[in-house]
Amino acid sequence: MAKIIVAAPPIPGELAPLLQLGVDLAARGHRITVLTGSRFRSAVENAGLAFVPLSGAADYDIAEHAVMPERLAAAPGPEQLNIDWINAFVNPMPDQHTALQELLAEDPDQYLLCNVLFLGMLPPVMGVPGRKPLRWVGVSAVVMALSSDDTTFFGPVPVGPGEDQVAANRAANAGFTAAMCPTQERMDQLLRELGATEPTPSFVDAVAVLPDETAVLTVPGFEFARGDLPANIHLVGIQPTRSAPDWQPPDWWSELDGSRPVVVVTQGTLANHDFTQLVEPALTALADLDVTVVAALGRPASALSIPIPANARVAEFIPFDRLLPKASVYISNGGIGGLQQALAAGVPVVVAGETEDKPANAARVKYHGLGIDLATATPTPEAIAAATASLLEDSTTAGNVERIAKVYAEHDALTEIEHLLLR
């Protein structure tokens, strides 16, 4: 039995994989303490795990952050990413550090398993006085922004005949690092104030290369290949989703019997405050197709501003482990969790997103031929209809998705992460 601190920012998409890991590791006999935002106390304790709340700037509500006027006014891309990374990940670092030090002072004989965007362990690594755990494993729930001679965050830079691919990638990576300067400067400032004595790597590299080991929840064939990947970074697959044992299918569930294609559409659990961006255009676009549309809203159906078409079924929540095996196409704004679950289930994808990591996810879909990138967060119904109809007939994409689904099936993320943590 090992004593493991499981830590994550108070963001559902960042916490959920860590919480599932905590539950599964506890089932293997380890003692788990979860460190995250206070609003997740009941979720952690209901899972049977010990809970310690974050405080101060580390204990925030991401829903309030998502609608900050400053963020909404920012252009998608580096401007908005800097706002997100500073407020959600960098500013909480000192309070995360304090909370970790208190836990390690109580019991130094503990391991740390944390989301890579939980930065509370960076200060001691950078020379700030403080205890370190027996071993530190970072878990990345998002794709890698790590610098590489072989690629960028968005894939290898297109080059012409005779042009130097490595030079092009290096220049693009340097440009991305420069664009994220506000994040870097804020992180450096906070580390200096805490007493750091070591030079800090770039933010996008630090979160991956500083842990003893880093487990990325993805597979080769979705991530871009990197011949210079640091030895501490491992692609371990994804965690299987599990529906609650007491989940009851809706009355229309029997209609998903394979008699016609099922198209799933969702805007995820965070970027779903405006259904006119994707869900409503998709419902409109597919109303006349011979398909059954299932919209997983993440909010009550009353939030829709249009009538529900006759071929559509909507629900606030539908467990994807039940739904995706019935699907023929998955339409989303590119959130990494649902996107990879769809691919692991062998479902081609249509992606429409512009914020956070979504363009980088879409770039991987396009590069590996796993679906269609609409390259906008607000696609027209016509574009959605054309993409969906295309994928329903596209045997090449279907073959690519079938192959990557087998790669996902070859990985056991829990076992691989446990080995990285305790070896």
Side-chain angles (χ1 to χ4, degrees):
M1 183 194 77
K3 293 173 285 186
I4 303 169
I5 300 168
V6 172
I11 302 173
E14 306 297 343
L15 171 62
L18 273 297
L19 184 55
Q20 183 176 330
L21 284 169
V23 170
D24 293 343
L25 288 167
R28 293 190 174 190
H30 304 297
R31 195 179 85 187
I32 307 299
T33 300
V34 177
L35 176 64
T36 192
S38 58
R39 59 187 44 80
F40 294 101
R41 175 185 291 274
S42 61
V44 172
E45 293 182 342
N46 289 342
L49 305 178
F51 173 76
V52 174
L54 292 165
S55 61
D59 188 24
Y60 57 84
D61 185 345
I62 192 59
E64 295 177 2
H65 166 73
V67 295
M68 288 192 316
E70 175 191 10
R71 183 181 188 275
L72 294 176
E79 183 181 0
Q80 194 172 92
L81 274 177
N82 276 301
I83 292 171
D84 288 343
W85 288 1
I86 289 171
N87 288 286
F89 306 127
V90 176
N91 285 344
M93 178 174 60
D95 289 313
Q96 293 173 351
H97 166 64
T98 297
L100 271 180
Q101 289 304 305
E102 290 174 353
L103 286 174
L104 291 170
E106 292 173 6
D107 185 354
D109 189 28
Q110 297 188 82
Y111 296 84
L112 174 63
L113 181 67
C114 72
N115 185 285
V116 293
L117 296 173
F118 182 96
L119 306 184
M121 199 61 233
L122 259 61
V125 174
M126 294 293 100
V128 176
R131 296 179 182 271
K132 297 179 183 179
L134 296 176
R135 193 167 181 80
W136 171 24
V137 172
V139 176
S140 179
V142 298
V143 295
M144 289 188 290
L146 185 70
S147 302
S148 170
D149 283 352
D150 297 323
T151 188
T152 73
F153 190 24
F154 304 99
V157 176
V159 296
E163 294 182 343
D164 189 331
Q165 178 73 72
V166 170
N169 290 336
R170 286 178 177 173
N173 283 323
F176 183 71
T177 298
M180 304 315 297
C181 234
T183 298
Q184 186 71 38
E185 291 172 354
R186 180 58 175 161
M187 182 174 74
D188 292 345
Q189 176 192 358
L190 290 175
L191 285 169
R192 285 195 304 271
E193 292 174 356
L194 289 169
T197 58
E198 300 295 325
T200 311
S202 72
F203 176 86
V204 295
D205 290 345
V207 298
V209 302
L210 291 180
D212 297 318
E213 307 286 352
T214 296
V216 186
L217 296 177
T218 191
V219 296
F222 185 76
E223 185 53 80
F224 297 121
R226 290 170 168 83
D228 51 3
L229 192 69
N232 75 311
I233 298 178
H234 313 268
L235 277 55
V236 299
I238 64 172
Q239 299 163 287
T241 58
R242 303 187 189 97
S243 54
D246 58 353
W247 180 76
Q248 295 297 316
D251 294 341
W252 45 262
W253 194 250
S254 61
E255 299 174 22
L256 311 184
D257 58 4
S259 58
R260 63 179 185 174
V262 174
V263 178
V264 175
V265 59
T266 182
Q267 287 183 211
T269 57
L270 182 59
N272 60 8
H273 58 281
D274 182 3
F275 286 139
T276 66
Q277 292 183 330
L278 180 59
V279 168
E280 292 180 3
L283 292 175
T284 300
L286 306 177
D288 296 327
L289 269 65
D290 186 22
V291 299
T292 298
V293 182
V294 178
L297 300 179
R299 296 170 60 197
S302 59
L304 292 170
S305 64
I306 63 171
I308 299 171
N311 70 336
R313 304 291 179 263
V314 303
E316 183 170 355
F317 170 76
I318 308 173
F320 275 7
D321 63 325
R322 303 285 191 94
L323 177 59
L324 289 174
K326 299 177 179 292
S328 299
V329 175
Y330 174 80
I331 302 172
S332 84
N333 53 8
I336 190 63
L339 185 61
Q340 290 201 99
Q341 289 172 42
L343 295 172
V347 184
V349 299
V350 177
V351 186
E354 291 181 326
T355 59
E356 297 95 25
D357 60 329
K358 295 179 177 67
N361 301 335
R364 285 155 175 78
V365 168
K366 182 178 180 179
Y367 184 83
H368 294 296
L370 304 171
I372 294 174
D373 173 19
L374 296 179
T376 176
T378 54
T380 64
E382 292 77 14
I384 296 171
T388 302
S390 174
L391 288 182
L392 289 172
E393 302 295 331
D394 186 348
S395 60
T396 300
T397 298
N400 293 339
V401 173
E402 182 180 357
R403 283 189 289 274
I404 199 172
K406 293 178 180 177
V407 179
Y408 281 106
E410 291 169 355
H411 285 271
D412 179 348
L414 173 64
T415 297
E416 293 184 39
I417 290 171
E418 183 184 33
H419 174 69
L420 293 173
L421 190 67
L422 304 179
R423 69 182 183 188

